[in-house]
Amino acid sequence: MKSKKLTLIGLSILLTLGLIVGFSALAEEEVRYGAWVDEIIGIVVDDEVAVAMLKAGEIHIFAEDIACAETFARVMASPELLGYEPVFGRHFWLALNPAGTPENPVFRDGRLNPFAVPRIREALQWLIDRDYIAEEIWAGLGMPRYFAISPIFPDYARLIETARRLEIYYAHNPEKAREIIFYEMEKLGAELIDGIWHWKVGEELKPVEIILVIRNDDERLGLGHYMTRLIENVGFKTKQHLVGPGETAPFWARGEPYDGKFHIFTGSSITTLILRDQAPDINIWFTPLGTTWPQRLALKPTPELADVSRRLRERDFADMEERNALFARALELSMEDSARIFVVNTTGFMTRRAEIEVAACLAGGISVGYLWPYTLRFRDQVGGTVRVGMPDILVDPWNPIAGTGWAFDVMFIRATTDWAMMPGPFTGLDQPQRIERAEVYVKEGLPVMRTLDGVSLHFVPEYIQVPLDVWVDWCAVEQRFITLAEAKEKEGFDPDRLTAKVMVRVHYPADLFETVKWHCGSPLTIGDFVADMIFGFDWAKKDGLIFNPGVVPGFEHWLRLFRGFRIVSKDPLVIESFTEVFHMDAEWMAWTWTWWPGGAAWHNIVPGMLAEANRELAFRRLQAVELKVEWTSYIAGPSLPILERHLREAKAANFIPWAPTLAQFITPEEAALRYANLLRWFEERGHFWVGMGPFYLYAAHYIERIVHLRRNPYFPDRADKWDGFVTPKTPELDLTGPAVVRAGDEATFAIEMTFAGEPYLVAYIDKVLYLLIDALGEIVYTGEAVAIADGLWQVVLPAEKTAALAVGTTMLEVVVLPQLVSKPAFTKITFMLLP
């Protein structure tokens, strides 16, 4: 408890002082509100010329993370012109097509799919050499990755013993892989003829051909060629499809797995923020729950893997010990399943001009970070234009409900969006942006902690009684919320829904509706909040105004654990939410249950809603394909005249959507003002994109691939509000100790921790773990290091431990979990153990 108090005090002081690097407070006469810069222009830039354009001053930032050693060396060679931000959140993987079963491992046309057999999929874990991939294909800018959890996030450190044991077990062993593959192929009835596996398709014996779909625009090209060689070495014929960005989906993501258009896909993902709890990730990668993608619907986890992943996702455990045991088992089972094989986590970088300062997320860098538009500035001036280069932009339509997911479109969308709570770029902990405070109540005994101010944590001895007036569901026919009292009277009501493990009460600022405006000039109102609540229910209801069957599975799963919400006070706004799902961080629970309509004003949704109801447009791509209409775009193309027509109709009728409910929160006068503002906005700007972020969309040029943002004059915050989050305080480690230890002697190792040359405070360290791996490659001891002083920790191996070790080269590995950044720090040392 004492260390937790130190943590809170230390973090409060650090945040008050502007964290590590911040700008001094502006003099009163120089106070600037809104963004530091006046405008941002995004253009398409090839990564091969990006560094040259940066040096020439033609762009100020290249937003793609690059994991190329040669390019990195060019950046490092010009420190007077260029700087960079590290990116640790990108990882690369192989998606295997699991269509079929071990008993019937064939595609629709009768071709054999070896990867319908889990044991053959698992064999690829031994076949690939992750060290080779990291060092040769990624030229040292990668680290081997084995699991769904990232080696740069806290859960990896929490599970370090299991992770290291599995990494040792699945180390590169091509002989073992070959033995397993040959055994399983013969068991299936395949025949090896002239070194190539054959399978009878109809009456004809044909070679078994493995189709690899390979991205050709980055290091995945090398990875694909490498995998092709390995697959051929174990007896398969191969076929390559080299594809660029935007060309992959027909093969694997949206294609029907049983059509057999691919066996292996070289994929990549980037984590958009630091994840302190990766419990749901096993479910995301290895089960079909909550998805409509055909490729993932073909996944067939074992009953145990399905149950363990469900329990992790739903936080169905009593304490951290049970959670970690479930998680450890999930890692084991996911490796046995191997429908997804994780290969490498890259250390990339995003390049910028040296005069630019910007907050970059340790996981996602600038392009997918949240704070970049709030902190972007020229080091020595206020205002100006920043030109951002990126590989592509305006790839898919923008709409506020289910538009583009392209990272570089999302980058600019986030600049136009504001948030109720802001994810910390170094810790992943959410901090208040548009809320005053949040209170989190959880049942006593659950493994929940609080770190930052702005969120309070309260433990209650019993399950929380859910008030009968909360809204628990939505009646799409009557367009009204259903209360718990009503639901309780229905046949088959589950009495468990009367209690909850968690209650979150969010208090919004008293001046919220006076200070916050949409880009079109309309003030934020309670109607935006209620409309946002309604929409989350209505589009999952068959009788909803714009029913979308694709969201139903995920919604039904969410609803099963949801216990209701209610508006306690309208002005100032206070909202309470009840749920069975808890998170380990109170800040994360507050973020999850803070209602916020930041991306979509209700009056801006209406034109798209009416167009979809009239089957002229569709917010979601899949529905657009089914209806054979345009995927709704709010910024360009044939959608605009359709949206304009429906806006004018809504304005003429003074239309209030879901009127039986929303008319209680939106006056006719407000509706008239909203529609007039939006129409004027469209006539001036030529698009319907309206947010409330520090920048607004000035123009989008699809043909030229240019996005132009300008500073939002309505934005209420000082420009320096988030300036403290520029440099992460990551500890630098130096592990020293004896080179030779005799069995039966005590051995002491020192861990020096510094930042910027100064000792790293003990108060800012959660814990320091160590593992001892003996000469046989076995993890023989684990424990925690002891703090000696600020900047100095110690591991002591007592005589009885060294006496029991196998003689030979022994490794001591240290894992540091700091509190100011959520990225664990690793170091290791080897010593010779003599008899």
Side-chain angles (χ1 to χ4, degrees), residues 154-160 276 320 323-324 449 584 817:
D155 270 327
Y156 182 85
R158 295 185 184 110
L159 300 165
I160 188 66
R276 296 169 60 86
M320 284 298 292
R323 174 191 185 270
N324 290 345
M449 59 184 174
M584 294 186 297
L817 280 72

Side-chain angles (χ1 to χ4, degrees), residues 379-570:
R379 196 178 298 273
D380 299 319
Q381 75 176 65
V382 173
T385 299
V386 173
R387 292 181 296 278
V388 180
M390 53 199 58
D392 208 350
I393 195 171
L394 300 176
V395 172
D396 286 327
W398 291 19
N399 74 61
I401 304 303
T404 179
W406 180 249
F408 303 108
D409 285 336
V410 172
M411 175 181 179
F412 284 100
I413 288 173
R414 284 186 175 167
T416 69
T417 307
D418 198 20
W419 312 92
M421 297 188 74
M422 189 70 72
F426 311 143
T427 64
L429 292 169
D430 297 273
Q431 299 173 69
Q433 164 70 348
R434 290 284 170 257
I435 70 169
E436 181 182 291
R437 70 184 192 278
E439 305 165 31
V440 177
Y441 295 83
V442 300
K443 186 179 180 300
E444 203 168 72
L446 293 177
V448 180
M449 59 184 174
R450 176 185 76 98
T451 306
L452 301 177
D453 294 333
V455 175
S456 61
L457 175 62
H458 311 271
F459 289 98
V460 295
E462 304 293 337
Y463 281 98
I464 299 165
Q465 293 295 315
V466 181
L468 292 176
D469 63 341
V470 301
W471 294 336
V472 296
D473 207 343
W474 173 254
C475 177
V477 175
E478 299 177 15
Q479 296 186 14
R480 66 175 184 86
F481 282 108
I482 299 169
T483 65
L484 178 59
E486 292 177 275
K488 184 171 175 287
E489 299 305 315
K490 292 184 178 180
E491 186 178 348
F493 175 77
D494 181 0
D496 287 344
R497 303 192 69 82
L498 295 172
T499 61
K501 291 179 181 176
V502 176
M503 188 270 276
V504 178
R505 181 184 297 124
V506 178
H507 299 258
Y508 297 83
D511 63 353
L512 178 70
F513 300 138
E514 300 168 11
T515 58
V516 179
K517 292 183 179 181
W518 296 97
H519 289 157
C520 65
S522 299
L524 178 71
T525 70
I526 192 172
D528 291 303
F529 284 82
V530 179
D532 187 53
M533 295 169 174
I534 294 172
F535 196 92
F537 286 82
D538 194 66
W539 75 338
K541 301 292 184 178
K542 186 174 64 173
D543 296 310
L545 294 183
I546 46 173
F547 171 59
N548 192 315
V551 304
V552 172
F555 172 80
E556 290 181 343
H557 176 79
W558 174 84
L559 190 64
R560 186 168 60 84
L561 301 169
F562 172 64
R563 293 295 181 264
F565 59 88
R566 64 177 179 173
I567 297 173
V568 179
S569 169
K570 294 181 180 179

Side-chain angles (χ1 to χ4, degrees), residues 743-745 772 774 776 780-781 798-807 833:
D745 288 350
L772 195 64
D774 69 8
L776 302 177
V780 288
Y781 298 118
E800 59 269 21
K801 285 190 177 182
T802 65
L805 292 175
V807 172
L833 187 80

